[in-house]
Amino acid sequence: MNDIAPRPYIIGLTGGIGSGKSAAAAHFARLGAEVVDTDLIAHGLTAPGGAAMDAIQRAFGTSMIAADGSLDRAAMRARVFSHPEAKRQLEAILHPMIRDESARQCHAATAPYVILAVPLLVESGSYRERCDRICVVDCPEHLQLERVRTRSGLDEAQVRAIMATQASREARLAAADDVIDNSTSLEALKQQVASLHARYLAASRTR
Ligand SMILES: CC(C)(COP(=O)(O)OP(=O)(O)OC[C@H]1O[C@@H](n2cnc3c(N)ncnc32)[C@H](O)[C@@H]1O)[C@@H](O)C(=O)NCCC(=O)NCCS
Ligand SMILES: Nc1ncnc2c1ncn2[C@@H]1O[C@H](COP(=O)(O)OP(=O)(O)OP(=O)(O)O)[C@@H](O)[C@H]1O
């Protein structure tokens, strides 16, 4: 008997801010996929008592720490998306921890395939190497802006500053094996996820 667990079949799910990654991932999860979400892992690391908080306080001081000991997300967002050096410093703390924890969760997965949701997947060789396929959730920039404004109350300049640090729509589409067109309704998104789910299940069985 071989006691080395086979590597799970991994689909990297990515898209620009507000493109609909979380909505797509939630549909995949409802259909039975295991979702490993790097945004959620980052939130856990920066919650009260989170594993990254001591290093963040040492690097940035107490002005970035909320009263409950968690990361002050609005303060950090304002800082990193207008100061490239601060962004590099925060990422140097968080990215190795996110990479390790997401690898651990992928290896522990028991579902037929894993959806590894990573906003910066196209920007990062180490995530691309882990994935059997890359699925991009795509919509025009004006819809990203509108949806993030509605969801988070950020203004257009703030969202544009974040988008400017991410891969372009063209670069993401060039890296895609599969594209989910999220330029219309949530119902249309759901239908595309259902048809990809059937393909990913079949591929995970026959690879
Ligand atoms: C700067 C922070 C505190 C702002 O928090 P906020 O609650 O506003 O955003 P949240 O973490 O929920 O992320 C929302 C979206 O912002 C974008 N985003 C987040 N981090 C980054 C980044 N380093 N570079 C570019 N875009 C990013 C992504 O589209 C992401 O889906 C936070 O984004 C953060 O800690 N970022 C560094 C960690 C990281 O790179 N996370 C991405 C997962 S690998
Ligand atoms: N097709 C759609 N029609 C209308 N609203 C949508 C559609 N797709 C997503 N949304 C909404 O747009 C917002 C952004 O979607 P979602 O959170 O899934 O994007 P995301 O790519 O995960 O964003 P982020 O990069 O910020 O984590 C959410 O409020 C979501 O409900």
Side-chain angles (χ1 to χ4, degrees):
M1 205 180 91
N2 183 356
D3 59 359
I4 299 172
R7 192 177 73 77
Y9 191 65
I10 299 181
I11 312 298
L13 182 72
T14 193
I17 185 163
S19 57
K21 285 181 307 299
S22 304
H27 286 308
F28 278 113
R30 270 179 220 120
L31 294 171
E34 184 124 0
V35 174
V36 174
D37 183 329
T38 56
D39 275 342
L40 276 186
I41 292 171
H43 282 236
L45 291 167
T46 52
M53 291 313 298
D54 283 350
I56 290 176
Q57 181 160 339
R58 276 196 302 278
F60 292 92
T62 50
S63 64
M64 293 291 160
I65 314 293
D68 66 358
S70 65
L71 177 64
D72 182 336
R73 310 192 71 80
M76 187 60 92
R77 191 193 311 122
R79 174 120 190 105
V80 298
F81 293 112
S82 57
H83 295 85
E85 183 47 39
K87 184 169 184 287
R88 272 192 292 276
Q89 232 181 331
L90 179 67
E91 290 177 347
I93 296 168
L94 286 173
H95 284 184
M97 294 183 178
I98 298 171
R99 271 197 298 273
D100 287 354
E101 175 58 17
S102 59
R104 193 194 64 72
Q105 291 185 16
C106 285
H107 284 291
T110 52
Y113 70 92
V114 174
I115 292 289
L116 175 58
V118 188
L120 306 177
L121 187 133
V122 166
E123 295 85 336
S124 153
S126 69
Y127 285 109
R128 287 175 75 155
E129 278 168 17
R130 285 193 209 170
C131 297
D132 293 286
R133 293 185 76 77
I134 294 179
C135 177
V136 168
V137 185
D138 177 65
C139 72
E141 285 189 357
H142 73 90
L143 286 180
Q144 286 178 260
L145 287 166
E146 197 177 299
R147 289 173 183 167
V148 177
R149 278 210 314 260
T150 308
R151 183 195 59 193
S152 322
L154 300 185
D155 66 29
E156 176 166 341
Q158 290 172 303
V159 188
R160 282 200 185 280
I162 298 171
M163 285 166 71
T165 70
Q166 300 186 340
S168 66
R169 188 179 180 194
E170 293 69 28
R172 262 191 303 270
L173 289 172
D177 296 300
D178 306 307
V179 177
I180 296 175
D181 171 9
N182 191 27
S183 59
T184 62
S185 66
L186 283 166
E187 186 50 38
L189 173 77
K190 196 171 160 182
Q191 283 171 15
Q192 293 172 79
V193 168
S195 99
L196 284 169
H197 170 71
R199 282 174 41 199
Y200 295 157
L201 263 188
S204 70
R205 288 186 185 124
T206 58
R207 78 192 165 116

